[in-house]
Amino acid sequence: MRYWEQEFPELSPTRRKGGRRYYTRNEVELIRKIMILLYEQGYTINGARRQLKMKSEPSLEGTDSVKRHIDSSIAQLNEVLEILAPD
């Protein structure tokens, strides 16, 4: 854990008397994400760091793509409703 604290600046637990580290819920969730990236998905430390950075930055491109997909789905559902609606 101490090594990860050096490699991932987002991970900085508070230290109490005697140098004991106390992790917040967010830090525990971050540790879990790091473990998954490193041990389950096979990323290197640098790769995991990049993945965490990419996930934390909002992407406007993705938002437009999702909005177009939702609009398209709504249009298709409206067409189905018109077919099914009695006159």
Side-chain angles (χ1 to χ4, degrees):
M1 297 298 294
R2 286 182 242 160
Y3 176 72
W4 286 3
E5 289 173 21
Q6 294 172 358
E7 295 298 322
F8 298 93
E10 305 92 355
L11 186 59
S12 58
T14 56
R15 295 190 184 164
R16 304 244 172 114
K17 189 175 180 179
R20 290 178 293 178
R21 290 168 171 79
Y22 285 86
Y23 296 93
T24 63
R25 176 180 288 276
N26 290 337
E27 289 167 335
V28 171
E29 290 172 3
L30 177 61
I31 291 167
R32 183 163 167 74
K33 288 177 189 175
I34 293 169
M35 286 178 62
I36 290 170
L37 289 169
L38 294 175
Y39 298 123
E40 292 179 15
Q41 296 181 1
Y43 282 93
T44 61
I45 296 282
N46 287 332
R49 198 178 302 130
R50 272 183 262 142
Q51 285 294 318
L52 289 172
K53 185 178 179 183
M54 285 176 34
K55 290 179 182 178
S56 68
E57 293 177 354
S59 172
L60 295 177
E61 261 180 48
T63 305
D64 291 339
S65 170
V66 170
K67 185 178 181 322
R68 281 194 306 268
H69 181 71
I70 291 171
D71 290 342
S72 172
S73 296
I74 290 172
Q76 289 174 353
L77 289 172
N78 283 331
E79 289 174 8
V80 170
L81 280 174
E82 287 178 18
I83 293 170
L84 296 175
D87 289 327

